[in-house]
Amino acid sequence: MFVISPQFQTISKAVMRFQQLWIFDLTAYHSFWQKQVLKDAALEKWSVGENPWQALMHFYGLHLFSPLEDLAPLARDFHTHRKNPVNSKNIRDVFAAFRRLGLLRIGHLRRLPFPGLQKRFGKSWADFLRGILTPTECPWIWEPFRKQDPLSWTTDLEEPSVDAFLILENLMSGFRKIAESSPESRIQKFNISLHLSHPQIFEFDFPHSISLQKDSAWIRKLIEEKLHHLCLEESVFRLRVDAFPVELKAAGQLSLFGNRAENLTSEKTRLHHFYRRLENQGYSIFKPQSLPSYVPEKSWAKVSPLNENAGVIVDRGLIRPLIQKDILPIPVPDKSCKFTERITWFDEKGIEHRRDYFMMRQTRAWAWVFRDKNENWFEQGVIE
Amino acid sequence: MKVFFALPYICMVIDPREFLQYRFIEKPKPSLLQLIGEAGSGCHRLAFDFLKPVQRVAWLSPHWDLYAPLLWKMASDQHIDLVGVECSDRRRLRNLLKEILNSGVFDGLVLDRFSLNAGEGFFLQKLLFPFAKSMRSLVIDSKPHSFCLQRARLSLSHRKFRIVWGRGGDPTPIYKDFPYLTEIQSEGSECSS
């Protein structure tokens, strides 16, 4: 169940903004509480629907028998909300085209196939009309709204004072404390309140979008200017600062790394998200991990970069060629070879193995070959 | 005649020097560098020298046959965080490139012996345009590609790497020592069978 109200209500934590309206998602709640909200909705004239499309239709007073022109305000709001490349002229043109086709009611649009609508008017319109005509089949893109509480600071002065400089310094220390408590926050506006001895409060709004960390000089200047014009007859005994953080924009983009909230996260988190994303898509993404063996093909293993030991390389067996292929038997070389390395080891059965590695000049490169205990020759890599 | 009357007024509105400046501003082109050479020519050994300065590199390969401990040691010596990606399915390469570039976590990319065709190459070039300044890309292949703005041909002689710029650099050959080869040739004993 979804509820639409022009004012913000505290009926659900799942909230999104649609232009000037608030859409509340109550689907996760028990039917008892849904009924309670329905009672309130009847009193408060909220709009209710099984999905956001139906709730919106109800709010705009639309149904399938409504005149087609009545759909225009909702279409305008929808395209503005989705930031679709549709202007008011385009909306007029589309409705004029519908009129020419003899469509007078919203329900008449059902005669037109959606692929045809998309081809003629574009994807934005096809999505909108699909939502209006088949609300149960068309998913609504939910962009959660994260409401942020104001950051407040209050202090009582040791001695009530009319000294503007003292008030200013105290206010600035308040701003510093707010900035320390939430270092990353950017505020959209802030208020300061001066409580006078006589029950009188001076409140000043500063509708400036600023950063608490970086713009302290600017904040100081703004308050200084305000206090300069203020003539205090009574002494101030209490100061209060309210800073309103910027509302985080809804994350409606398809790209995982495109939205702003994601950009705020640390680089390490982004990297982990990325690795996990690639692994979920089936790509082989890895870092090496050293193994105890000295045998080149068994001396390392691919591990996920999310593994703690990924990329930890033991500093041994590194004076070797960079390109190492699968082992390939070769005839006994007829050229001279340069000895590079000997490896001897025992396997689980106690059998001794030995490899003498050589480098051998081929037509365009140096091959890395080895001779085993039985005098068989193999090629394992290319020297680079 | 009317044009002659209008010209001074146009000049009053737009400063001609400014006009020329706007006209000839070029968008930065993506740094797409190719190392031409077959296996054993030194393209892998010297790859990080060509990529510098980078911090985090994705090394893409269709079939991984590099000795990873050595490659990662070379990367860590140059303070590079390296990640290997194996993509044997060619149809998924474009998606992989998109994912890597859009992630914004890498500033270096190596495409190792993919034998890219023109379509894939220009697709990569188009993807790289927004990252022209922030991303350095390296293509290692045995045949030259026209979509790479800079190309260098590498080969390995008996002791040294030979680098010749084919496009976007000085064509005079540059020689670089290969310590591994020098050491083996001077100290290693011979075996003739």
Side-chain angles (χ1 to χ4, degrees), chain A residues 164-177:
Chain A
F165 181 74
L166 184 73
I167 293 168
L168 176 66
E169 286 305 317
N170 276 292
L171 285 171
M172 288 313 295
S173 73
F175 273 106
R176 275 194 292 277
K177 279 181 183 161

Side-chain angles (χ1 to χ4, degrees), chain A residues 255 257 267 270-271 274-275 277-278 281-288 290 294 296 299-300 302 305 311 313 315-326 332-340 358-359 361 364-366 368 371 377 382-384, chain B residues 38-46 56 63-74 81-87 92-93 95-96 99-100 102-106 113 156-159 161 178 180-181 183-186 188-193:
Chain A
S255 169
F257 299 99
E267 196 175 349
R270 282 169 60 198
L271 207 58
F274 171 69
Y275 292 151
R277 187 179 162 87
L278 276 196
Q281 290 185 26
Y283 290 106
S284 165
I285 178 162
F286 66 91
K287 283 186 177 184
S290 289
Y294 270 81
S299 64
W300 68 282
K302 292 176 186 173
I313 302 297
D315 203 359
R316 61 169 161 75
L318 297 178
I319 306 173
R320 283 176 179 169
L322 194 55
I323 300 175
Q324 296 190 1
K325 299 173 181 172
D326 296 334
V332 179
D334 52 353
K335 301 171 188 174
S336 66
C337 305
K338 290 271 184 186
F339 174 77
T340 61
F358 299 90
M359 60 179 218
R361 185 69 186 170
R364 286 178 187 163
W366 290 92
W368 198 46
R371 184 179 61 195
W377 286 80
V382 182
I383 288 173
E384 186 174 319
Chain B
E38 291 177 355
S41 57
C43 295
H44 303 87
R45 179 74 71 159
L46 300 177
R56 187 168 288 130
H63 174 68
W64 193 271
D65 60 359
L66 297 178
Y67 186 49
L70 178 57
L71 189 69
W72 258 258
K73 180 72 173 56
M74 283 159 51
D81 183 13
L82 186 65
V83 176
V85 186
E86 204 173 353
C87 177
R92 301 180 66 201
L93 177 63
N95 182 49
L96 176 63
E99 290 284 352
I100 287 173
N102 290 336
S103 70
V105 293
F106 294 101
R113 286 168 291 170
L156 177 60
S157 68
H158 279 72
R159 291 200 174 192
F161 293 114
F178 185 16
Y180 174 82
L181 216 52
E183 195 178 326
I184 297 294
Q185 284 191 342
S186 60
S189 57
E190 284 202 16
C191 162
S192 53
S193 39

Side-chain angles (χ1 to χ4, degrees), chain B residues 62 87-94 114-117 120:
Chain B
C87 177
S88 50
D89 188 355
R90 198 51 179 268
R91 290 167 298 178
R92 301 180 66 201
L93 177 63
R94 293 188 186 208
F114 270 98
S115 301
L116 298 175
N117 59 32
E120 287 163 338

Side-chain angles (χ1 to χ4, degrees), chain A residues 271-273 275-276 279 303-310:
Chain A
L271 207 58
H272 277 228
H273 273 292
Y275 292 151
R276 204 163 288 132
E279 282 176 351
V303 291
S304 164
L306 298 167
N307 193 319
E308 279 182 15
N309 296 325

Side-chain angles (χ1 to χ4, degrees), chain A residues 217-339:
Chain A
W218 187 14
I219 295 171
R220 189 186 188 90
K221 191 79 184 165
L222 287 169
I223 300 172
E224 221 173 57
E225 203 169 289
K226 195 65 86 176
L227 292 177
H228 180 69
H229 295 292
L230 191 67
C231 186
L232 290 170
E233 291 175 355
E234 299 275 335
S235 50
V236 178
F237 75 96
R238 182 177 290 166
L239 300 171
R240 184 184 169 86
V241 175
D242 292 306
F244 296 86
V246 173
E247 292 170 3
L248 285 177
K249 290 267 171 65
Q253 296 183 16
L254 290 175
S255 169
L256 181 66
F257 299 99
N259 62 57
R260 189 173 161 217
E262 197 71 31
N263 289 338
L264 290 175
T265 57
S266 71
E267 196 175 349
K268 195 177 173 186
T269 318
R270 282 169 60 198
L271 207 58
H272 277 228
H273 273 292
F274 171 69
Y275 292 151
R276 204 163 288 132
R277 187 179 162 87
L278 276 196
E279 282 176 351
N280 291 342
Q281 290 185 26
Y283 290 106
S284 165
I285 178 162
F286 66 91
K287 283 186 177 184
Q289 186 187 2
S290 289
L291 298 178
S293 177
Y294 270 81
V295 184
E297 66 269 21
K298 292 177 185 169
S299 64
W300 68 282
K302 292 176 186 173
V303 291
S304 164
L306 298 167
N307 193 319
E308 279 182 15
N309 296 325
V312 180
I313 302 297
V314 181
D315 203 359
R316 61 169 161 75
L318 297 178
I319 306 173
R320 283 176 179 169
L322 194 55
I323 300 175
Q324 296 190 1
K325 299 173 181 172
D326 296 334
I327 295 169
L328 186 75
I330 53 166
V332 179
D334 52 353
K335 301 171 188 174
S336 66
C337 305
K338 290 271 184 186
F339 174 77

Side-chain angles (χ1 to χ4, degrees), chain B residues 6-117:
Chain B
L7 204 59
Y9 296 105
I10 292 170
C11 291
M12 282 168 70
V13 178
I14 306 168
D15 183 0
R17 285 167 298 177
E18 202 178 338
F19 174 72
L20 286 174
Q21 191 187 344
Y22 284 129
R23 179 152 184 194
F24 295 111
I25 284 176
E26 283 188 4
K27 280 185 182 176
K29 289 181 179 172
S31 140
L32 200 54
L33 167 67
Q34 188 191 2
L35 300 184
I36 308 166
E38 291 177 355
S41 57
C43 295
H44 303 87
R45 179 74 71 159
L46 300 177
F48 295 124
D49 295 343
F50 285 94
L51 270 181
K52 275 195 282 189
V54 284
Q55 288 185 330
R56 187 168 288 130
V57 176
W59 190 295
L60 276 63
S61 177
H63 174 68
W64 193 271
D65 60 359
L66 297 178
Y67 186 49
L70 178 57
L71 189 69
W72 258 258
K73 180 72 173 56
M74 283 159 51
S76 69
D77 286 347
Q78 307 208 27
H79 308 289
I80 294 171
D81 183 13
L82 186 65
V83 176
V85 186
E86 204 173 353
C87 177
S88 50
D89 188 355
R90 198 51 179 268
R91 290 167 298 178
R92 301 180 66 201
L93 177 63
R94 293 188 186 208
N95 182 49
L96 176 63
L97 292 172
K98 260 190 203 174
E99 290 284 352
I100 287 173
L101 291 173
N102 290 336
S103 70
V105 293
F106 294 101
D107 55 355
L109 179 71
V110 180
L111 289 152
D112 182 11
R113 286 168 291 170
F114 270 98
S115 301
L116 298 175
N117 59 32

